[in-house]
Amino acid sequence: MTDELVRVYVPATAPMLTRLREQGLTAAEAHAVTPTLREWYAEGDEEELEYVAFTRAAQDALLLLRADPAAPRRRVVVSADLPASAVGRVDGELGSSLVGLDAPVPVSAVAAIHVDGAEAVADVAAAADVIAEAQAGDPDAQFTVDGAEDHELEWYDVTELDLLLRTVS
């Protein structure tokens, strides 16, 4: 019997990508289309639900940037397909997309890497500085975060990892 695969969206930073090939991507949590997300957004099709999970991972990447001031100011989201047995529930709150990861994400599981382009750096830097305040309900901080979210993350195949690291470092 094979384990069903689950698409997860792992928030990351460029320095975290440098360890991806040798050590995997270490993260305790990621986002995915969960039963509670499906229930909360019942009208949404699979693509819309995946976009919600992806967007939440991009928001969490801002928190990682806030915690690592030396990291290039670009949000990173790694899309990966993991066995369902490696993905655990974290939050049963209605609408939650948060899942737990019990092991590093191996490079072989990566479907794509998403990274902000150079034109987003200033907006992402500003958003990383105020993401905690935005999550606490500060409308001015939320406006700044929304400015970063106006930028679409660029898509890279995992085979482009070395090129990507040279570009964003």
Side-chain angles (χ1 to χ4, degrees), residues 116-142:
D116 276 308
E119 74 287 344
V121 169
D123 289 336
V124 170
D129 288 342
V130 298
I131 184 63
E133 292 84 352
Q135 290 181 328
D138 181 320
D140 292 332
Q142 186 60 53

Side-chain angles (χ1 to χ4, degrees), residues 9-13 31 51-67 74-77 95 97-98 116 124 127-132 134-135 141-142 145-151 153:
Y9 303 96
V10 186
T13 62
H31 291 269
Y51 185 74
V52 169
F54 176 86
T55 301
R56 290 177 179 173
Q59 288 173 349
D60 283 356
L62 289 172
L63 291 169
L64 294 173
L65 289 173
R66 182 177 176 123
R74 297 183 190 213
R75 296 169 297 166
V76 176
V77 175
S97 59
L98 204 58
D116 276 308
V124 170
D129 288 342
V130 298
I131 184 63
Q135 290 181 328
Q142 186 60 53
V145 169
D146 290 345
E149 292 177 354
D150 287 343
H151 297 278
L153 279 74

Side-chain angles (χ1 to χ4, degrees), residues 146-167:
D146 290 345
E149 292 177 354
D150 287 343
H151 297 278
E152 292 290 326
L153 279 74
E154 298 173 353
W155 182 95
Y156 294 87
D157 187 80
V158 70
T159 60
E160 299 175 286
L161 179 58
D162 292 331
L163 170 69
L164 176 60
L165 289 172
R166 286 192 300 273
T167 304

